[in-house]
Amino acid sequence: MDINYLHRELITTEDGSSSLKLLDVEEQYHSIHGARNESLHIYINAGLKYWSDKAEVHILEAGFGTGLNALLTLQQKSSQVIHYETIEAFPLSMEEVVMLNYISNMDEESKRKYYAMHACMADKIIRMNEHFYFRKRIDDIRKVALPESQYDLVYFDMFSPDIQPDLWSESVFQKVYRSLKNSGILVTYCAKGDVKRALKAVGFELESLPGPQGKREITRAIKR
Ligand SMILES: C[S@@+](CC[C@H](N)C(=O)[O-])C[C@H]1O[C@@H](n2cnc3c(N)ncnc32)[C@H](O)[C@@H]1O
């Protein structure tokens, strides 16, 4: 089935935070049990905090989408320097971005930064503040070339393997594995058997961690 990834609508998840839903298939950008809670649990707590002792962290996010993971990463109060790179094939329009409620209670400066991340289409590095550098590439994770041994942390946040099985394949994971430094980690909401087998096949060591509300397990994969 041909899915139109631009055919989507706004939803509100159970923690009150917005998300988007694809209209051609049963698939949301986040858990219906809480977009914000899910992002914090998986990408911040099981991912970024894993490296809380590190002065500088290089992050790759597969699937920028609503920018929620990037926003939550930017909001972490720490002196750590973050280099955030993200890849997105089907960016949101500004009409969609302004409907999301992530920044409604934030100051003008934070709002400006969130919109700047969405507006950034030209593959250039933006300095958000002295601790946060941002780069977004409009590209396909299957085709994009990634640098070798560059990242400490990968947020792997693609649509589910039921919808896009080829994005959870050994060929994509191999490329991501090579792009990580030794001991680097990949975190994802997905704990499906096939996905775990593909991660192991390219060399990752896996940890299953408790999931957020509505999800039993999530996966952290470590490059040894
Ligand atoms: C589950 S959503 C999550 C997005 C995001 N992390 C967020 O918090 O909103 C998956 C994202 O991957 C993007 N995507 C789908 N296929 C892709 C591909 N081949 N390459 C890169 N991004 C893709 C989608 O457009 C969508 O934004």
Side-chain angles (χ1 to χ4, degrees):
M1 179 196 177
D2 268 350
I3 299 168
N4 180 350
Y5 293 102
L6 302 176
H7 197 198
R8 49 203 174 196
E9 71 178 9
L10 183 75
I11 57 167
T12 302
T13 64
E14 285 169 18
D15 67 1
S17 57
S18 307
S19 186
L20 294 170
K21 177 183 187 314
L22 292 180
L23 293 174
D24 291 357
V25 276
E26 259 317 303
E27 183 79 5
Q28 295 83 29
Y29 276 53
H30 305 96
S31 160
I32 53 164
H33 299 291
R36 193 170 185 280
N37 283 349
E38 178 188 50
S39 281
L40 281 172
H41 185 105
I42 301 171
Y43 301 104
I44 303 301
N45 294 338
L48 186 59
K49 291 198 174 157
Y50 181 92
W51 289 125
S52 50
D53 291 342
K54 234 175 180 309
E56 212 162 319
V57 182
H58 290 259
I59 301 176
L60 172 70
E61 177 188 40
F64 177 69
T66 63
L68 180 57
N69 293 335
L71 180 67
L72 293 173
T73 304
L74 172 65
Q75 284 182 310
Q76 297 306 301
K77 298 270 173 280
S78 127
S79 57
Q80 200 167 46
V81 175
I82 306 279
H83 301 270
Y84 198 99
E85 285 185 38
T86 185
I87 296 168
E88 172 57 56
F90 308 103
L92 272 60
S93 65
M94 271 300 168
E95 287 74 22
E96 290 172 306
V97 174
V98 296
M99 291 191 307
L100 299 165
N101 67 1
Y102 307 139
I103 52 167
S104 358
N105 296 323
M106 288 184 195
D107 56 62
E108 288 309 309
E109 183 59 13
S110 305
K111 288 182 181 167
R112 195 188 58 70
K113 286 180 177 152
Y114 179 63
Y115 290 135
M117 291 198 277
H118 279 282
C120 165
M121 298 285 180
D123 187 10
K124 58 176 187 191
I125 298 172
I126 310 181
R127 181 182 182 274
M128 294 284 169
N129 60 41
E130 68 210 274
H131 300 298
F132 197 92
Y133 295 83
F134 178 83
R135 177 183 178 203
K136 184 168 82 202
R137 279 189 273 178
I138 305 302
D139 214 327
D140 185 327
I141 189 72
R142 291 166 296 189
K143 298 183 186 150
V144 74
L146 296 177
E148 300 251 325
S149 305
Q150 170 75 15
Y151 307 107
D152 302 291
L153 170 59
V154 172
Y155 296 166
F156 201 85
D157 196 10
M158 312 308 306
F159 291 130
S160 72
D162 296 339
I163 306 295
Q164 290 186 302
D166 49 338
L167 302 194
W168 303 81
S169 60
E170 284 182 33
S171 66
V172 171
F173 288 147
Q174 179 84 70
K175 185 161 65 171
V176 170
Y177 184 87
R178 289 208 191 105
S179 78
L180 280 165
K181 295 177 190 164
N182 277 337
S183 306
I185 60 167
L186 171 155
V187 278
T188 181
Y189 66 86
C190 186
K192 248 190 128 180
D194 289 350
V195 168
K196 292 208 245 180
R197 276 187 286 282
L199 285 165
K200 272 192 195 153
V202 304
F204 281 111
E205 196 174 281
L206 301 193
E207 270 184 275
S208 294
L209 305 172
Q213 169 84 18
K215 179 138 191 57
R216 198 164 58 86
E217 256 181 23
I218 60 167
T219 305
R220 183 157 63 197
I222 305 161
K223 177 173 178 175
R224 295 285 185 212

